Amino acid sequence: MADDLPLVLVLNGPNLNLLGTREPEIYGHETLDDIAEALEDRAAELGLRIDLRQSNHEGHLIDWLHEAQSRNAKAVILNAAGLTHTSVTLHDAIKAIRVPVVEVHLSNPHARETFRHKSFVSPVARGVIVGFGARGYMLALDAAATF
Ligand code: DQA
């Protein structure tokens, strides 16, 4: 049964609902639905199931990190978007759970404005994948399969 397969939550933060039309020269032309579809296919090959969500609200992301723990998820793939650079509470939530978190960014924040160089997620992430566009999510899923 698909429901028995190890679960990977794919959590996306503010403004990522606009992928495809939002600054495509930076974030590419793929929408979050395109990414979800590609991840579903890859997850099926890897014997995993994914649950992809997006919210513009910090508290939702925190609740979902807690949920990852209570559902005994295998991993969380997290693109916290702008909250990456500001959120102590996301940092704390990741620290509070045992589920490994893979931090993903479509762009390479280190090659952009200095305010994007700081990540509150990186110090508590299992690993970090940046700068490979939508493909970064697939790389993160391949990594999660090995956990
Ligand atoms: C982002 C990078 C962040 O700096 C930015 O605020 C985003 C998207 C990325 O995927 O490249 O919203 O997380």
Side-chain angles (χ1 to χ4, degrees):
M1 266 250 317
D3 277 2
D4 297 333
L5 295 174
L7 172 67
V8 177
L9 282 180
V10 186
L11 305 182
N12 294 278
N15 304 306
L16 293 174
N17 53 312
L18 300 179
L19 275 185
T21 56
R22 173 192 181 202
E23 299 182 272
E25 64 288 358
I26 296 176
Y27 299 118
H29 292 276
E30 280 177 274
T31 66
L32 208 49
D33 282 347
D34 295 334
I35 292 172
E37 215 172 287
L39 282 173
E40 301 268 8
D41 291 348
R42 184 68 187 139
E45 288 168 10
L46 293 168
L48 301 171
R49 75 193 148 110
I50 62 144
D51 182 346
L52 183 144
R53 302 176 190 178
Q54 187 277 331
S55 177
N56 294 323
H57 305 277
E58 188 171 17
H60 288 162
L61 295 167
I62 291 162
D63 289 344
W64 293 339
L65 286 163
H66 297 176
E67 184 186 329
Q69 174 76 16
S70 63
R71 291 175 73 187
N72 204 16
K74 185 175 177 67
V76 172
I77 295 170
L78 174 65
N79 185 348
L83 291 171
T84 305
H85 316 300
T86 62
S87 179
V88 173
T89 51
L90 266 182
H91 173 102
D92 288 346
I94 295 166
K95 242 181 143 172
I97 63 173
R98 289 185 301 278
V99 181
V101 172
V102 183
E103 177 182 2
V104 168
H105 299 284
L106 296 141
S107 67
N108 176 359
H110 305 289
R112 300 178 61 194
E113 304 96 322
T114 47
F115 64 81
R116 295 185 204 277
H117 296 180
K118 163 91 183 159
S119 169
F120 284 89
V121 174
S122 296
V124 285
R126 173 71 67 93
V128 182
I129 297 171
V130 303
F132 297 110
R135 187 158 164 64
Y137 286 83
M138 308 294 273
L139 297 171
L141 190 62
D142 284 350
T146 69
F147 294 167

